[in-house]
Amino acid sequence: VLAAPKNLKYDSETFTWEKVDNASAYLVKIGNEEFRATTNKYAYAAGSEDFLVSVSAVGDPAKKTYDSV
Protein backbone atom coordinates (compact mmCIF):
# COMPACT_ATOMS: atom_id res chain seq x y z
CA VAL A 1 0.00 0.00 0.00
CA LEU A 2 1.36 3.39 -0.94
CA ALA A 3 1.81 6.17 1.58
CA ALA A 4 -0.67 9.02 1.57
CA PRO A 5 0.57 12.25 -0.02
CA LYS A 6 1.78 14.82 2.55
CA ASN A 7 2.01 18.62 2.76
CA LEU A 8 -0.97 19.49 0.59
CA LYS A 9 -0.81 23.20 -0.29
CA TYR A 10 -2.91 25.58 -2.38
CA ASP A 11 -1.78 28.95 -3.76
CA SER A 12 -5.14 30.10 -5.23
CA GLU A 13 -4.28 28.46 -8.56
CA THR A 14 -2.56 25.12 -7.98
CA PHE A 15 -2.61 22.31 -5.42
CA THR A 16 0.78 20.73 -4.72
CA TRP A 17 1.92 17.91 -2.46
CA GLU A 18 4.98 15.75 -1.85
CA LYS A 19 5.59 12.97 -4.38
CA VAL A 20 4.87 9.42 -3.22
CA ASP A 21 7.39 6.75 -4.19
CA ASN A 22 5.99 4.27 -6.76
CA ALA A 23 2.77 6.24 -7.36
CA SER A 24 1.64 6.05 -10.99
CA ALA A 25 -0.84 8.93 -10.54
CA TYR A 26 -2.86 10.79 -7.91
CA LEU A 27 -6.59 11.02 -7.32
CA VAL A 28 -7.60 14.57 -6.38
CA LYS A 29 -11.05 14.97 -4.82
CA ILE A 30 -12.42 18.51 -4.68
CA GLY A 31 -15.90 18.67 -3.24
CA ASN A 32 -17.91 15.97 -5.04
CA GLU A 33 -15.63 15.86 -8.10
CA GLU A 34 -12.66 13.59 -8.76
CA PHE A 35 -9.70 14.37 -10.99
CA ARG A 36 -6.64 12.36 -11.97
CA ALA A 37 -3.20 13.98 -11.85
CA THR A 38 -0.07 12.38 -13.29
CA THR A 39 2.29 14.64 -11.30
CA ASN A 40 2.27 16.03 -7.77
CA LYS A 41 0.33 19.14 -8.73
CA TYR A 42 -3.14 20.00 -9.97
CA ALA A 43 -4.32 23.37 -11.33
CA TYR A 44 -7.66 24.54 -9.90
CA ALA A 45 -9.13 28.02 -9.92
CA ALA A 46 -11.57 28.21 -7.04
CA GLY A 47 -14.23 30.83 -6.76
CA SER A 48 -15.23 32.24 -3.41
CA GLU A 49 -16.87 28.97 -2.31
CA ASP A 50 -15.50 26.75 0.43
CA PHE A 51 -14.48 23.23 -0.55
CA LEU A 52 -12.91 20.09 0.87
CA VAL A 53 -9.88 18.55 -0.82
CA SER A 54 -8.14 15.21 -0.52
CA VAL A 55 -5.36 13.59 -2.51
CA SER A 56 -4.53 9.89 -2.64
CA ALA A 57 -1.73 8.09 -4.45
CA VAL A 58 -2.67 5.63 -7.18
CA GLY A 59 -0.65 2.43 -7.38
CA ASP A 60 0.10 -0.01 -10.15
CA PRO A 61 -1.10 -3.56 -9.40
CA ALA A 62 1.27 -4.90 -12.08
CA LYS A 63 4.13 -3.60 -9.93
CA LYS A 64 2.38 -4.74 -6.73
CA THR A 65 1.82 -1.20 -5.49
CA TYR A 66 -1.68 -0.33 -4.37
CA ASP A 67 -3.58 2.90 -3.77
CA SER A 68 -3.10 4.87 -0.58
CA VAL A 69 -6.10 5.15 1.70
Side-chain angles (χ1 to χ4, degrees), residues 39-63:
T39 66
N40 63 320
K41 63 176 112 178
Y42 184 77
Y44 183 77
S48 59
E49 77 278 0
D50 291 336
F51 52 88
L52 295 175
V53 179
S54 66
V55 178
S56 57
V58 176
D60 183 350
K63 294 181 181 177

Side-chain angles (χ1 to χ4, degrees), residues 25-39:
Y26 299 91
L27 181 62
V28 181
K29 293 182 183 180
I30 304 172
N32 293 326
E33 298 181 273
E34 292 185 357
F35 307 95
R36 189 175 183 92
T38 56
T39 66

